[in-house]
Amino acid sequence: MEKPIGEILVVPFFGQGHILPLIELCKKLSSFYIKTTFVLSIDISSFISSSLVHHPLVNVVNVDAPIPEPLRPEIKFDPQPIMLHYKQMRQGVESILISNYNIAKNNNLKINCAIVDIMMLPYLGDVFTKFQVPIVAFSPFSAASLAMDYAAWKADVEFVKPGETRLLPDLPDEMSMDYDDIVRRYYSSSEEPLIGTKKKSFPTQPGDEPLWVQEVKVTIAILVNTYDELEHTFLEYLAKQTRLPIYGIGLLPEKFWTLAATKSLIHDKDIRTINNSSQKSNYSEDEILNWLEKKSPNSVIYISFGSELMPTLQEHEEISKALEESSSQNFIWVISKNQDYYPNGLENKVGKRGLVIHGWAPQLLILSHPSTSGCMFHCGWNSIMEAIGQGVPLLAWPIRGDNFYNAKSIVCHLKIGHMVSSIRENIGLRKIKKEEIIQGIKGLMEDKQVHNRVKELSEKFRNANFPVGSTSALHDFKDFIMQKQSDD
């Protein structure tokens, strides 16, 4: 095999939405004969596929840094577990750098750069700086969410009053913010709105200085997990504001787009590099497929909040009641093992029109099936891109942080979805009620314009041979990194 032309360290945050795209990035970089050292918590290692572990140009290094339990809305946030994780990851990365630094001195092999998840950057930036390793920030978040985060700070939106709308300079008018856009309830049982805190916290509140703004000042470039064709306006804005090279390197697997172009069913096990299917579930993939096959085309709504961000337990009850009372609506509702909830009796009440999955679910299979005609998500970016790729419109139920900006982009800018509640302040402050969920589902499923727009967008991507755009950006990034090394 051809000798590697260099080496890049890759350090993700521990969430699946952070790890999956960076795994794809490691595989992409290997096609340029660049070796990657992928550093992650040992808690995740058992889920990494053997094909990645044994890849000749990918070195998976485990760090003894336990992953904290997922946040729950009803429980007060304890920062100690996450801070311990950061500390242990820092120690592990420093040990790797010491080892590699010695090798570099002896063998004249230099680490080209470290690609660091933007969530890890505050805790690792100075470590890489000490070893004179150039840093590239990686954002698993959408370009829209970063741009909105920045623009809201610059526009002082925390001072927006009820009834007022504030335009965000250099961003589309439809992304302007009003009072309902800036209220946030604490990610706890509190109902108090969180506005204008002006403090360093995560997630930052609208109007606060985003944490990443200062952190990226030590970086030489930013990689964003998105596509120029989808978010050109926001990528351009970020490049102007940060004065850094910005690369939209959308990292859904190439096979996803190949199958999407032929409108084939996608089996998750053929796409995912993390083996979630080993996790327990009350339905097998075959059972789910058989259920979908019996439903009419465009008749099913898919509901999933993942395992890290979720509605409150009371809101889970409201979802259950809404699905029970929506007497003609087929649905699949995925409830993570971390959600401490199960709607006992719901399946008996709704009969064959509903499937409640407890545990892991084959999301790509469900989204790619012709029976699926809508999805209700918390608006994590990876899931949004998967839905767009399959031409499935979204019912947005943002929970925290970037979710709100993603939802606004989906509903107001791309116009390929609805908010779960037409009473917008409910999403930011009060709990969502049964009646709102019923109306939200009905409105999305019956909106032909939204369905047509997302299908047109999906077809546009397929006709453009996605991911050619991201491949071009990756080539540009590779050239940039190699030129940087030559200049040094």
Side-chain angles (χ1 to χ4, degrees), residues 157-158 179 181-188 190-199 201-208 400 428-429:
V157 299
E158 75 276 16
Y179 183 80
D181 286 317
I182 69 169
V183 292
R184 300 282 189 273
R185 73 178 177 224
Y186 286 109
Y187 196 67
S188 70
S190 172
E191 292 292 337
E192 183 180 350
L194 195 58
I195 303 172
T197 58
K198 288 297 180 189
K199 64 183 180 183
S201 63
F202 182 82
T204 51
Q205 304 306 313
D208 294 350
R400 195 178 66 157
L429 184 54

Side-chain angles (χ1 to χ4, degrees), residues 7 12 29 49 81 120 127 141 209 221 230 250 264 342 354 360 367 386 388 416 427 439 445 471:
E7 180 174 356
L29 291 172
S49 72
M120 299 297 294
V127 176
F141 309 116
E209 179 181 1
L230 186 64
S264 301
Y342 194 80
W360 179 83
L367 288 174
E386 290 171 358
I388 292 173
I416 56 171
I427 301 169
Q439 289 302 312
M445 299 298 278
T471 300

Side-chain angles (χ1 to χ4, degrees), residues 131-253:
F131 285 90
Q132 298 182 326
V133 176
I135 305 169
V136 174
F138 171 75
S139 170
F141 309 116
S142 68
S145 68
L146 293 179
M148 289 287 289
D149 212 15
Y150 188 95
W153 166 50
K154 285 296 185 180
D156 292 324
V157 299
E158 75 276 16
F159 299 115
V160 169
K161 296 178 174 58
E164 178 188 355
T165 298
R166 185 160 302 184
L167 292 173
L168 303 179
D170 298 322
L171 289 183
D173 289 353
E174 66 268 18
M175 301 303 282
S176 62
M177 297 182 71
D178 58 25
Y179 183 80
D180 289 337
D181 286 317
I182 69 169
V183 292
R184 300 282 189 273
R185 73 178 177 224
Y186 286 109
Y187 196 67
S188 70
S189 57
S190 172
E191 292 292 337
E192 183 180 350
L194 195 58
I195 303 172
T197 58
K198 288 297 180 189
K199 64 183 180 183
K200 295 275 186 180
S201 63
F202 182 82
T204 51
Q205 304 306 313
D208 294 350
E209 179 181 1
L211 292 177
W212 60 267
V213 171
Q214 294 301 321
E215 303 302 336
V216 299
K217 290 182 178 179
V218 301
T219 70
I220 59 172
I222 301 175
L223 305 179
V224 185
N225 183 24
T226 192
Y227 300 93
D228 186 78
E229 294 91 334
L230 186 64
E231 295 198 288
H232 176 80
T233 298
F234 302 111
L235 288 168
E236 197 173 54
Y237 176 86
L238 290 170
K240 178 181 177 181
Q241 300 303 324
T242 63
R243 299 181 181 179
L244 287 168
I246 305 285
Y247 301 94
I249 55 166
L251 290 166
L252 285 176

Side-chain angles (χ1 to χ4, degrees), residues 218-389:
V218 301
T219 70
I220 59 172
I222 301 175
L223 305 179
V224 185
N225 183 24
T226 192
Y227 300 93
D228 186 78
E229 294 91 334
L230 186 64
E231 295 198 288
H232 176 80
T233 298
F234 302 111
L235 288 168
E236 197 173 54
Y237 176 86
L238 290 170
K240 178 181 177 181
Q241 300 303 324
T242 63
R243 299 181 181 179
L244 287 168
I246 305 285
Y247 301 94
I249 55 166
L251 290 166
L252 285 176
E254 285 192 33
K255 192 171 182 181
F256 172 90
W257 295 109
T258 302
L259 293 171
T262 61
K263 300 185 179 179
S264 301
L265 285 180
I266 299 178
H267 293 272
D268 291 62
K269 63 179 179 293
D270 297 332
I271 299 290
R272 303 295 195 193
T273 318
I274 291 183
N275 183 22
N276 281 323
S277 58
S278 63
Q279 299 180 29
K280 291 183 178 179
S281 176
N282 57 338
Y283 288 101
S284 68
E285 183 173 312
D286 285 342
E287 288 173 322
I288 294 166
L289 180 57
N290 288 336
W291 185 90
L292 284 164
E293 291 290 329
K294 295 173 183 175
K295 303 306 171 193
S296 302
N298 303 315
S299 68
V300 176
I301 187 162
Y302 171 58
I303 303 167
S304 177
F305 295 94
S307 59
E308 296 170 26
L309 296 177
M310 59 202 76
T312 64
L313 291 178
Q314 295 97 321
E315 286 170 324
H316 276 81
E317 287 290 348
E318 296 297 311
I319 295 171
S320 182
K321 293 174 186 175
L323 294 174
E324 180 184 343
E325 293 185 21
S326 300
S327 58
S328 61
Q329 179 61 59
N330 297 323
F331 67 88
I332 293 179
W333 183 13
V334 182
I335 302 176
S336 164
K337 295 287 186 182
N338 292 327
Q339 286 175 258
D340 291 338
Y341 175 83
Y342 194 80
N344 291 315
L346 177 63
E347 285 182 293
N348 290 332
K349 293 174 182 176
V350 301
K352 295 180 181 180
R353 69 176 179 87
L355 195 66
V356 180
I357 301 174
H358 196 214
W360 179 83
Q363 178 162 300
L364 296 179
L365 174 68
I366 295 167
L367 288 174
S368 64
H369 198 280
S371 293
T372 303
S373 186
C375 54
M376 182 160 70
F377 289 155
H378 67 281
C379 290
W381 185 235
N382 268 13
S383 290
I384 287 175
M385 287 196 294
E386 290 171 358
I388 292 173

Side-chain angles (χ1 to χ4, degrees), residues 108-125:
N108 199 30
L109 175 64
K110 184 176 181 181
I111 299 171
N112 297 76
C113 69
I115 298 174
V116 184
D117 190 295
I118 207 164
M119 292 275 288
M120 299 297 294
L121 200 52
Y123 309 96
L124 297 177

